[in-house]
Amino acid sequence: MMAKTPRIRIPTEVRNYVFDRDRNQCQSCGLTDRNTELNIDHIIPISKGGSNDISNLQTLCRQCNQRKRNHIDSRFQRRYKIG
């Protein structure tokens, strides 16, 4: 049985890096921090075996993050060739 990756609080420095890398823009719908509240999300959810590594984090707006829940967003997967 595979060991479950623990959920950790994402440090402020990491959050800021991901926001900067993603240009403060939702990676699903394109809204920016001027239009909505942005969140940090796991591309491959922890519940699906994803890691807490910075390469598995993306910026999503609150609405897209709630809609995605614990699923894998195929649009992001295609864009970054993950999986």
Side-chain angles (χ1 to χ4, degrees):
M1 181 176 218
M2 185 184 222
K4 188 173 180 180
T5 302
R7 185 165 298 279
I8 62 165
R9 181 164 169 74
I10 301 169
T12 302
E13 309 80 49
V14 173
R15 294 174 60 78
N16 290 338
Y17 173 84
V18 174
F19 285 142
D20 287 344
R21 181 196 68 196
D22 293 344
R23 296 189 171 114
N24 292 302
Q25 185 174 33
C26 177
Q27 298 301 293
S28 187
C29 73
L31 287 177
T32 66
D33 59 348
R34 291 184 176 162
N35 308 108
T36 189
E37 178 186 339
L38 296 175
N39 303 137
I40 300 296
D41 177 61
H42 291 88
I43 299 165
I44 299 173
I46 297 291
S47 65
K48 305 274 189 209
S51 72
N52 288 308
D53 187 80
I54 200 163
S55 65
N56 190 42
L57 299 176
Q58 66 180 334
T59 302
L60 289 183
C61 70
R62 175 186 256 177
Q63 294 83 1
C64 287
N65 195 11
Q66 288 174 342
R67 190 169 43 245
K68 179 179 172 273
R69 298 182 359 186
N70 70 333
H71 304 289
I72 296 172
D73 185 336
S74 61
R75 290 172 295 177
F76 194 88
Q77 194 174 20
R78 274 197 312 271
R79 183 173 169 192
Y80 290 95
K81 299 181 177 94
I82 294 174

